[in-house]
Amino acid sequence: MKPFKHIALIANVELPEVTEPLKRLCRFLEKEGYSVALESKTALLVANNTLPVFDYLDEELKLDLVVVVGGDGSMLSVGRSVAELNIPLLGVNRGRLGFLTDIQPDDMENQLIRVLAGDYIVSNRFLLEISLSRKGEKINSGEAINDVVVHPGSSLRMMEFELYIDEQFVYSQRSDGLIVSTPTGSTAYALSGGGPILHPNLDAIVLVPMNPHTLSSRPVVVGGDSSIEIKLGLRNEHSMVTCDGQNDLIPQPGDVICIEKKMQPLRLIHQADNSFYATCRTKLGWGSRLGSSNRNR
């Protein structure tokens, strides 16, 4: 029995290089007898008038799997929706790094045959829930798979804020902002900011200061169940809260940003032989094994 029967395809239509593998993917899935639905913009690239088309992911589609053709940014955008619906997500890499997308177009059909037959692993990735409060009243919210970044927005001035973890005061800081990252996001913006790499299986959150006006401020790793509060200073007139580099919340001076782990995880599908460390070696340029004479040293 096939673990996946009803599959949705979503592509990053802004990438011209997705068209050819997307058409191949449609032909392959139809030939193998899968029920395929296309996101409306994706359908324009395929030019297939026989497959059903949808505008938004919802429960009525009764999907077993969503396949994204694109890069990590596309996976993040779709991932926030499928996590809520508890639909697993698989990525065909047409981006640059591809930490989340491990199906390669050159050997796509052979890799997919194994995955769709059940030869895969599931990696559960937790999301962050963000709420923005003003004078004790919640005024906005958001979600992030990679990270939440509090920053000065269009202003070139440093911002001021206070950090609280589990209602305990940690520090006040003047800096270019703060990155609050999941393990999934630890290889993204947080890594560029000097943060540590966290294995995806860790139940932890990393906080990375951005250019702090002190030499003693360093990244901090806290438990995944921690409640994080960032209270903005009264001079932060142009601050922004950016989720996954895609969605912005606009706070005002004195607002409070609360960040916590979302209970419903994102289920990523990977090939059975997928290795996080091998991905790091490939994507980050880590050194490969030494000669056989040095392996035991």
Side-chain angles (χ1 to χ4, degrees):
M1 181 177 178
K2 295 178 179 179
F4 308 113
K5 294 181 179 180
H6 305 284
I7 301 174
L9 300 184
I10 303 176
N12 184 345
V13 297
E14 296 180 359
L15 297 176
E17 57 267 32
V18 307
T19 303
E20 188 273 334
L22 178 63
K23 291 181 178 179
R24 281 172 48 204
L25 181 57
C26 281
R27 291 194 297 266
F28 167 77
L29 292 175
E30 286 189 285
K31 180 182 176 182
E32 294 295 319
Y34 292 94
S35 171
V36 180
L38 298 171
E39 183 269 335
S40 55
K41 293 181 181 178
T42 302
L44 298 176
L45 294 180
V46 177
N48 187 320
N49 298 322
T50 63
L51 295 177
V53 175
F54 62 91
D55 290 318
Y56 304 100
L57 292 167
D58 58 43
E59 293 180 349
E60 294 183 0
L61 295 172
K62 300 186 184 303
L63 297 171
D64 302 313
L65 179 69
V66 174
V67 179
V68 170
V69 183
D72 283 350
S74 306
M75 292 285 283
L76 294 175
S77 179
V78 177
R80 291 189 294 270
S81 298
V82 300
E84 191 69 32
L85 298 171
N86 197 28
I87 304 172
L89 184 64
L90 176 67
V92 177
N93 186 24
R94 286 282 72 194
R96 289 172 294 193
L97 279 177
F99 270 95
L100 304 179
T101 56
D102 62 333
I103 299 294
Q104 302 303 318
D106 293 343
D107 192 35
M108 178 175 60
E109 290 82 357
N110 289 331
Q111 295 174 49
L112 284 172
I113 285 175
R114 296 193 297 270
V115 170
L116 296 176
D119 188 21
Y120 64 86
I121 57 176
V122 179
S123 178
N124 290 319
R125 309 293 184 93
F126 73 80
L127 286 73
L128 296 174
E129 287 186 307
I130 306 97
S131 64
L132 180 62
S133 298
R134 183 171 301 152
K135 297 180 180 180
E137 180 181 352
K138 181 178 176 180
I139 61 170
N140 209 339
S141 63
E143 295 181 347
I145 298 172
N146 264 1
D147 49 44
V148 180
V149 182
V150 182
H151 57 101
S154 60
S155 174
L156 295 178
R157 294 182 178 180
M158 284 188 168
M159 62 184 302
E160 297 178 343
F161 59 88
E162 292 180 347
L163 174 65
Y164 294 80
I165 298 176
D166 294 331
E167 299 184 349
Q168 297 185 50
F169 175 68
V170 180
Y171 55 61
S172 61
Q173 186 177 102
R174 295 185 70 246
S175 67
D176 287 341
L178 185 69
I179 304 169
V180 182
S181 171
T182 65
T184 301
S186 70
T187 53
Y189 193 26
L191 180 63
S192 299
I197 294 176
L198 304 183
H199 192 281
N201 291 343
L202 285 176
D203 184 17
I205 299 172
V206 61
L207 296 88
V208 182
M210 300 167 61
N211 301 319
H213 198 227
T214 172
L215 297 178
S216 61
S217 185
R218 293 291 183 268
V220 176
V221 179
V222 300
D225 291 327
S226 300
S227 175
I228 299 165
E229 283 191 351
I230 302 167
K231 297 184 178 180
L232 298 179
L234 298 178
R235 298 181 179 181
N236 301 319
E237 297 181 357
H238 305 287
S239 300
M240 296 180 69
V241 182
T242 302
C243 306
D244 284 340
Q246 297 175 343
N247 300 325
D248 295 323
L249 308 180
I250 310 299
Q252 291 183 5
D255 284 357
V256 177
I257 303 146
C258 182
I259 303 171
E260 296 180 316
K261 178 171 68 174
K262 183 179 176 67
M263 296 310 298
Q264 181 65 48
L266 167 65
R267 293 193 291 152
L268 285 182
I269 300 295
H270 291 292
Q271 299 178 72
D273 60 352
N274 177 267
S275 166
F276 174 70
Y277 304 111
T279 301
C280 287
R281 285 197 303 274
T282 302
K283 308 302 181 181
L284 300 179
W286 288 1
S288 57
R289 289 180 177 176
L290 301 175
S292 57
S293 61
N294 295 324
R295 284 183 182 173
N296 296 324
R297 295 185 181 180

